[in-house]
Amino acid sequence: MSDELLVVRCQLGEREAFAELVRAWHGPVWTYVRRMLGPVEADDVSQEVWLAVVRGLPRLKEPGRFAPWLFTIARRAVANRLREEYARPEVAAGDGPVSPDATVALVDRAELVEGLSGLPAREREILVLFYLEDLSVEDCAEICAVPVGTVKSRLSRARRMLRDHLTEKGYRR
Amino acid sequence: MNPDDMIGKLSRPLSLRSRIGAVVALLGGLVGAVGVGLLWATEPALPGRTHLAFGLLVALCLAWTGYGSWALTRRTPLFALDQVIAGWLSVVATGLLTAAAVAVAAVRGTWVGVTGVAVAVTMTAVALVVLVRARARHAALLRRRRELEGRAGRP
C-alpha cells in the first residue's frame, strides 16, 4: 500500500492505518535519529517525532509528500537536541555524541556508519538522509530547508570529510 | 523500541474517546458559559450569594472551554471522522442553547434575552458551517482513498 493511501486513511481517522504507517516508517526514523544523536536518545526523540506526526497529520496537505514531511519533523526534533552543537562554528562541531557499536559494524555499509560518528552534525545529517535513507537530493533540500545546490556542496564536503576520516582510521580502498 | 511499542505509546493521542472528550469539554464549557451567563443576566433580582454561585459556574464552564481548546490545538487535533462527529455535536449543543435562549427571551422579554438569542443563533450558524466543511473534507478524503485504492488494484 502506498504511503499516500496510508496517509489519506490516517487523515480519515483509521487507527489501523496509522499503525501501518508507524510499522513502515519507524525503522528509518529511528535509524536517522540514532545516527544523529546516538542510541541513548533515539527512543525518546523518535517518540517525540511520532507524537508530532499524530498532531500534524490531519493538516498535511500533500499526503504524497509524507516522507520529506516526516523527516522534516525528525530533523526539527534532532535539531532541538543538537541546538548547542549547531550554535558552535561548523568546523568545531565535530565531536558528535554518536558512538559506533559492534552490531552496526557488521552491516554492508559498516565503514560509512563508523565514519559518520566522527563528522559534524550537518555533514552527518546529509549523509544519513541521502545514503542511509535513500532520499533524493530534492527531498534532502526540502527537509534541511536549504537549496539543492547547498545539499550538493554539503554532500561533497561530507564525502571528502568522511574519506579523510576513514583514511586517518586506516581504511584503504 | 520496536514499532508496536511505539504504537502502544501513541494510543492515548490516537484514542477517539480522548479526542471526542476534548470536543465535549469545549462545547459543554462554551454552551454552559453562555447559557448560565444568560440566566444570570436575565434574573431581575438576586441575592449576593446567588451572584457568586452564578459567577463560579460561569468560571467553571470557561475553564472547561479553555481545557478543551488547549487539548484540541496542542495535544491531539481532530481527524476527518472526528471533525464530522464534532460538527454534529456542535450543531446539537448550539441548537439546544438556541432553544433555551428563545425560551428565556420569551419569558423575560428584555434586550438581554434578545441578545442571548442572537449570540446562540450565531453560534449555531458557526456550528453548521463547521459541520458542512467537515463533511466536505471527509467526502473529499473518501474520494481520494477510492481513487488511490483503484489505482493500486489496477494491473
Side-chain angles (χ1 to χ4, degrees):
Chain A
M1 190 178 295
S2 73
D3 285 339
E4 185 175 3
L5 179 52
L6 274 179
V7 171
V8 168
R9 287 178 55 207
C10 288
Q11 289 181 326
L12 279 164
E14 292 180 32
R15 192 176 161 163
E16 185 47 43
F18 194 84
E20 283 183 52
L21 203 62
V22 174
R23 286 191 193 103
W25 283 98
H26 176 69
V29 168
W30 192 88
T31 303
Y32 167 73
V33 174
R34 186 190 179 286
R35 294 284 172 262
M36 295 304 296
L37 297 172
V40 177
E41 294 190 83
D43 283 345
D44 279 354
V45 176
S46 297
Q47 190 178 339
E48 277 175 34
V49 171
W50 283 110
L51 277 171
V53 169
V54 172
R55 287 167 195 157
L57 206 53
R59 293 188 302 275
L60 177 59
K61 289 203 165 40
E62 293 182 80
R65 304 282 300 152
F66 174 73
W69 178 76
L70 172 65
F71 278 99
T72 302
I73 291 174
R75 182 179 189 265
R76 200 179 305 136
V78 166
N80 286 341
R81 298 284 173 123
L82 289 173
R83 196 170 298 282
E84 286 183 15
E85 189 176 342
Y86 268 46
R88 291 180 216 144
E90 279 192 42
V91 288
D95 299 328
V98 179
S99 60
D101 62 43
T103 310
V104 174
L106 293 173
V107 302
D108 292 344
R109 287 169 287 189
E111 291 178 15
L112 172 64
V113 170
E114 197 275 338
L116 281 174
S117 62
L119 297 186
R122 286 177 198 212
E123 282 69 24
R124 189 163 68 232
E125 172 182 64
I126 207 72
L127 287 177
V128 169
L129 291 174
F130 188 76
Y131 288 110
L132 296 185
E133 304 296 352
D134 288 327
L135 292 167
S136 67
V137 170
E138 288 76 19
D139 284 349
C140 292
E142 185 179 333
I143 293 163
C144 298
V146 293
V148 168
T150 306
V151 170
K152 287 178 180 170
S153 62
R154 208 174 273 181
L155 261 176
S156 168
R157 186 166 67 245
R159 278 193 293 259
R160 194 175 60 245
M161 291 174 80
L162 183 62
R163 190 172 56 242
D164 293 346
H165 179 81
L166 293 176
T167 306
E168 268 179 37
K169 292 260 180 181
Y171 289 106
R172 294 271 182 253
R173 292 241 171 237
Chain B
M1 192 187 294
N2 63 41
D4 289 327
D5 292 336
M6 184 62 74
I7 293 162
K9 285 187 178 291
L10 297 171
S11 61
R12 185 168 166 72
L14 285 174
S15 149
L16 178 65
R17 204 170 141 184
S18 70
R19 291 199 297 274
I20 297 304
V23 171
V24 169
L26 191 154
L27 280 174
L30 193 61
V31 169
V34 174
V36 173
L38 186 61
L39 281 177
W40 188 10
T42 52
E43 282 294 332
L46 291 172
R49 272 188 295 186
T50 312
H51 276 297
L52 184 65
F54 269 120
L56 286 174
L57 274 174
V58 170
L60 185 69
C61 288
L62 289 176
W64 278 110
T65 307
Y67 168 75
S69 307
W70 170 80
L72 291 174
T73 52
R74 303 304 297 263
R75 287 184 67 87
T76 169
L78 301 176
F79 292 96
L81 179 63
D82 314 333
Q83 287 174 4
V84 173
I85 296 171
W88 277 114
L89 287 174
S90 308
V91 169
V92 170
T94 53
L96 289 173
L97 178 69
T98 303
V102 168
V104 168
V107 171
R108 300 283 180 230
T110 61
W111 66 269
V112 179
V114 176
T115 308
V117 172
V119 169
V121 168
T122 306
M123 286 171 69
T124 307
V126 171
L128 280 168
V129 170
V130 167
L131 176 62
V132 168
R133 287 174 58 118
R135 283 172 58 93
R137 164 101 175 123
H138 189 250
L141 283 171
L142 281 175
R143 273 197 304 277
R144 185 66 186 145
R145 186 180 75 175
R146 278 194 292 272
E147 277 174 23
L148 291 168
E149 282 173 344
R151 203 181 293 170
R154 209 175 294 153

